[in-house]
């Protein structure tokens, strides 16, 4: 794998809003993709891992989850965001980041942009987008 991938929950409006912020404001070469449309097998991820936390799979195969994945994403950006990523990896910040991340994950439906979101069933997603999350071109 050459390109790093940041995987988030596309069924969560709060997560989707955060991913849109990343795409607009954080310059990175990483793919930012909802797990529901990602080829999890190719990334070496499971549905359970993706439901638990955001995931990072580096171009070198390195993996991280939750705030560690966010730190990796920031580290793969421009100098200002890299400083933020390094700060998130600093042991005292990291010790606080995980409990905060878990609280946000449990309460994301209550946060700005958060709603009860519905997704297409897996079968319908694969019919429309194929197993790797890309639109099908068949007749």
């Amino acid at each position: 794998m050459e390109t790093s991938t940041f995987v988030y929950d596309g069924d969560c409006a709060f997560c989707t809003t955060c991913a849109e912020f990343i795409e607009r404001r954080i310059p990175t070469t990483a793919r930012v993709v909802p797990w529901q449309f990602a080829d999890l097998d190719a990334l070496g991820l499971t549905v359970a891992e993706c439901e638990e936390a955001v995931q990072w799979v580096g171009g070198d195969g390195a993996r991280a989850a939750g705030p560690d994945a966010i730190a990796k994403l920031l580290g793969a950006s421009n100098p200002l965001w890299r400083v933020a990523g390094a700060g998130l990896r600093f042991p005292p910040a990291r010790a606080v980041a995980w409990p905060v991340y878990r609280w946000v994950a449990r309460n994301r439906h209550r946060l700005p942009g958060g709603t009860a979101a519905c997704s297409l069933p897996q079968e319908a997603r694969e019919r429309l987008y194929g197993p790797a999350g890309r639109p099908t071109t068949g007749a």
Side-chain angles (χ1 to χ4, degrees), residues 61-135:
R63 293 180 39 189
D68 297 333
I70 295 166
K72 292 275 193 185
L73 173 77
L74 295 174
S77 185
N78 68 24
L80 177 64
W81 289 108
R82 281 196 297 267
V83 169
L88 193 52
R89 286 188 300 272
F90 186 62
R94 190 171 184 268
V96 172
W98 271 103
V100 169
Y101 181 87
R102 288 186 186 108
W103 182 88
V104 168
R106 279 191 314 273
N107 293 284
R108 60 190 177 174
H109 61 284
R110 295 183 178 114
L111 298 172
T115 63
C118 298
S119 72
L120 291 171
Q122 183 67 30
E123 180 181 286
R125 279 197 300 269
E126 288 182 3
R127 192 171 47 253
L128 290 171
Y129 297 100
R134 292 180 209 93

Side-chain angles (χ1 to χ4, degrees), residues 5-78:
T5 305
F6 183 81
V7 182
Y8 68 95
D9 184 355
D11 285 344
C12 171
F14 177 76
C15 298
T16 300
T17 299
C18 292
E20 289 169 352
F21 175 85
I22 291 166
E23 290 175 334
R24 280 191 322 270
R25 305 281 184 198
I26 302 176
T28 181
T29 58
R31 280 182 57 218
V32 178
V33 61
W35 70 259
Q36 293 85 349
F37 297 107
D39 185 348
L40 298 183
D41 289 335
L43 293 170
L45 297 171
T46 67
V47 169
E49 289 171 321
C50 295
E51 287 177 336
E52 172 98 10
V54 295
Q55 302 290 321
W56 171 267
V57 180
D60 60 357
R63 293 180 39 189
D68 297 333
I70 295 166
K72 292 275 193 185
L73 173 77
L74 295 174
S77 185
N78 68 24

